[in-house]
Amino acid sequence: MEAFEAFASAACRYTTVRVRTQLPTDFVDITDRVQALVNGSGLGAGLVNVQSLHTTVAIVVNENEPLLLTDFATFLERTSPAQADYRHDDLSVRTVNLTADERINGHAHCRALVLPSSACLNIVDGRLRLGRWQRVFLVELDGPREREISIMLMGESGR
Amino acid sequence: MEAFEAFASAACRYTTVRVRTQLPTDFVDITDRVQALVNGSGLGAGLVNVQSLHTTVAIVVNENEPLLLTDFATFLERTSPAQADYRHDDLSVRTVNLTADERINGHAHCRALVLPSSACLNIVDGRLRLGRWQRVFLVELDGPREREISIMLMGESGR
Amino acid sequence: MEAFEAFASAACRYTTVRVRTQLPTDFVDITDRVQALVNGSGLGAGLVNVQSLHTTVAIVVNENEPLLLTDFATFLERTSPAQADYRHDDLSVRTVNLTADERINGHAHCRALVLPSSACLNIVDGRLRLGRWQRVFLVELDGPREREISIMLMGESGR
């Protein structure tokens, strides 16, 4: 196990990243953007936490193979069908958190329930530590929309 | 991207929080308690890790709309019905981890399997960084009971 | 809430751990290995992030009761059957990320989608902070294979 010197030059760095999604269910590969933030941070070791700021957006780590992403969409539709009945969408009885442009999205919330809302990833040797096939995705569950994620990097400077 | 000064005044702060749940499946909004700990920590930037200390309690981030919470309960019941057969609950063959007040809770463990056991959230400008509709929930899957969660805050002091 | 002194002696420590899985779906209890790394790190408080380096390996926290682990395997098979059709496995049309020893594993990716790819756990009093029944598992979804996980520890030295 490698040990870094005391946190003499350690730091927190953070930013908000905007992502435009294109589909109702969309997997947007944000790996390169996260990697660029790690590179630009000057951190040699630590953690980067990629956090959704929405209740119908998840952050997952999986493989970026286009057919697999259609399998994921099929899987999510099977677990929480878009056309099923959700009490959240019954605007005749609901009284809480209503907006002028309320969306019919109970299915999207249920899908979000079983997907991670953030990914906490290791930084090693100044780079995002990922396996060969691992990519970081923003998962849009109720799009298309403009979305935001919060990224926090914390650790030890230098390599 | 904002950068903080070196961790001259950085710190870890932690505590254990107790929560009394009221229902077999219960969503307890703990956002204000986590926010109060962030406020009281004096940290300006960093991470807060909200960790379940139970195998049938999850920590999720989603919207606090009462009808949606009933949708979540319906969804969880569909994925792992309480009345289905679980070998974990077959006390005629099981020999491991048995207690005097053993609960019939295979369904609760299966539900916990697909829900996060912790939420790692960003601290920015001295506050929990959350989107407009995001709330932090302790999800009781085998209640009602007295539960505990461990909360760790780590980061840079000051704003 | 306890507060540690400034990060005068704080550090990041990290390593890669190898795990040999034995079954197509396998739950390998890695708690003692993670605990040993925490003990050896000299950290008194902080975080340990246990991260999968594979897209068909998850990291979960749950109870280590052998019959329950068979319930989990049954549950995963029900949510994403191994024998169902996945476009990821249709090598007559797929063109991306193909390898010489391509595996038929669409089901494993779908299962990984709803399981956490990492566990971020608290370190308190120099030990992994876990509840009575909580154990950390590497979950093999497409084995048996040799697997790797990345472990990052960050925090304040000493107790």
Side-chain angles (χ1 to χ4, degrees):
Chain A
M1 173 149 41
E2 303 293 327
F4 272 80
E5 298 300 306
F7 269 14
S9 54
C12 290
R13 294 164 193 274
Y14 56 88
T15 192
T16 301
V17 168
R18 285 181 180 69
V19 177
R20 175 81 212 171
T21 64
Q22 306 293 337
L23 298 167
T25 300
D26 201 2
F27 292 81
V28 182
D29 189 327
I30 58 172
T31 314
D32 292 345
R33 295 178 74 172
V34 178
Q35 183 66 74
L37 289 168
V38 171
N39 293 347
S41 73
L43 296 180
L47 297 172
V48 51
N49 194 48
V50 181
Q51 182 192 324
S52 167
L53 293 175
H54 306 274
T55 50
T56 53
V57 167
I59 308 292
V60 306
V61 178
N62 215 304
E63 182 181 344
N64 189 354
E65 192 279 296
L67 296 180
L68 181 62
L69 301 182
T70 68
D71 288 326
F72 288 162
T74 301
F75 171 78
L76 292 171
E77 170 63 22
R78 195 169 65 238
T79 57
S80 303
Q83 299 304 322
D85 289 331
Y86 299 91
R87 296 187 66 203
H88 180 59
D89 298 329
D90 184 350
L91 304 185
S92 70
V93 295
R94 186 173 142 202
T95 58
V96 175
N97 287 5
L98 290 165
T99 61
D101 57 344
E102 191 61 35
R103 302 173 75 104
I104 300 302
N105 64 2
H107 64 290
H109 284 284
C110 285
R111 296 173 188 188
L113 184 68
V114 294
L115 296 178
S117 59
S118 63
C120 190
L121 299 165
N122 298 338
I123 301 170
V124 173
D125 294 337
R127 290 185 60 76
L128 200 52
R129 179 78 165 104
L130 290 177
R132 180 179 180 191
W133 302 112
Q134 286 186 308
R135 305 290 291 179
V136 186
F137 291 92
L138 179 152
V139 185
E140 172 64 79
L141 298 166
D142 183 33
R145 288 209 249 179
E146 195 78 40
R147 299 297 203 166
E148 287 188 340
I149 52 182
S150 168
I151 300 186
M152 174 64 63
L153 303 101
M154 181 162 47
E156 160 70 20
S157 298
R159 308 182 189 210
Chain B
M1 175 152 37
E2 304 293 327
F4 273 80
E5 298 301 305
F7 269 15
S9 53
C12 291
R13 294 163 193 274
Y14 57 87
T15 193
T16 299
V17 168
R18 283 180 182 70
V19 177
R20 175 80 212 172
T21 65
Q22 306 293 337
L23 299 166
T25 299
D26 200 3
F27 293 81
V28 182
D29 189 326
I30 58 173
T31 314
D32 292 344
R33 295 177 74 172
V34 178
Q35 183 66 72
L37 289 168
V38 172
N39 293 347
S41 73
L43 296 179
L47 297 173
V48 52
N49 194 48
V50 181
Q51 182 192 324
S52 166
L53 293 175
H54 306 274
T55 51
T56 53
V57 168
I59 309 291
V60 306
V61 178
N62 214 304
E63 181 180 345
N64 190 355
E65 191 280 296
L67 295 180
L68 181 62
L69 301 181
T70 68
D71 288 326
F72 288 163
T74 301
F75 171 78
L76 292 171
E77 169 63 24
R78 196 169 65 237
T79 59
S80 302
Q83 299 304 321
D85 288 331
Y86 299 92
R87 296 187 65 203
H88 181 60
D89 297 330
D90 183 352
L91 303 184
S92 69
V93 296
R94 186 173 143 202
T95 59
V96 175
N97 287 4
L98 290 165
T99 59
D101 57 345
E102 191 62 34
R103 300 172 76 102
I104 300 301
N105 64 2
H107 66 289
H109 284 284
C110 286
R111 296 172 188 188
L113 185 69
V114 294
L115 296 178
S117 60
S118 62
C120 189
L121 299 164
N122 298 337
I123 301 170
V124 172
D125 294 337
R127 290 185 60 77
L128 201 52
R129 180 79 166 103
L130 290 177
R132 180 179 179 192
W133 303 112
Q134 286 185 308
R135 304 290 292 179
V136 186
F137 291 92
L138 179 152
V139 185
E140 172 63 78
L141 299 166
D142 182 33
R145 286 209 251 178
E146 194 79 40
R147 299 297 204 168
E148 287 188 340
I149 52 183
S150 168
I151 300 186
M152 174 65 62
L153 304 99
M154 181 162 48
E156 160 72 21
S157 297
R159 310 185 186 203
Chain C
M1 176 152 37
E2 302 294 325
F4 273 80
E5 296 301 304
F7 269 16
S9 53
C12 291
R13 294 163 193 274
Y14 57 88
T15 192
T16 300
V17 168
R18 285 180 181 69
V19 177
R20 175 82 211 170
T21 65
Q22 307 292 339
L23 298 167
T25 300
D26 202 2
F27 292 81
V28 182
D29 189 326
I30 58 172
T31 314
D32 292 345
R33 295 177 73 173
V34 178
Q35 183 68 72
L37 289 168
V38 171
N39 293 347
S41 72
L43 296 179
L47 298 173
V48 51
N49 194 47
V50 181
Q51 183 191 323
S52 168
L53 293 174
H54 306 274
T55 51
T56 53
V57 167
I59 309 292
V60 306
V61 178
N62 214 303
E63 182 181 344
N64 190 355
E65 191 280 296
L67 296 179
L68 180 62
L69 301 182
T70 68
D71 288 326
F72 289 163
T74 301
F75 171 77
L76 292 172
E77 170 63 23
R78 195 170 65 236
T79 58
S80 303
Q83 299 304 321
D85 289 330
Y86 299 91
R87 296 187 66 202
H88 181 59
D89 297 329
D90 183 352
L91 304 184
S92 69
V93 297
R94 185 171 142 203
T95 58
V96 175
N97 286 4
L98 290 165
T99 60
D101 57 342
E102 190 62 34
R103 301 173 76 103
I104 300 301
N105 64 2
H107 65 289
H109 284 285
C110 285
R111 296 173 188 188
L113 184 68
V114 293
L115 297 178
S117 59
S118 62
C120 189
L121 298 165
N122 298 338
I123 301 170
V124 172
D125 293 337
R127 291 186 59 78
L128 201 52
R129 180 77 165 106
L130 290 177
R132 180 179 180 191
W133 302 111
Q134 286 186 308
R135 304 291 292 179
V136 186
F137 291 92
L138 179 151
V139 185
E140 172 64 79
L141 299 166
D142 182 32
R145 287 209 250 178
E146 194 78 40
R147 300 296 204 168
E148 288 188 340
I149 52 182
S150 168
I151 300 186
M152 174 66 63
L153 303 101
M154 182 162 46
E156 159 72 21
S157 297
R159 308 182 190 210

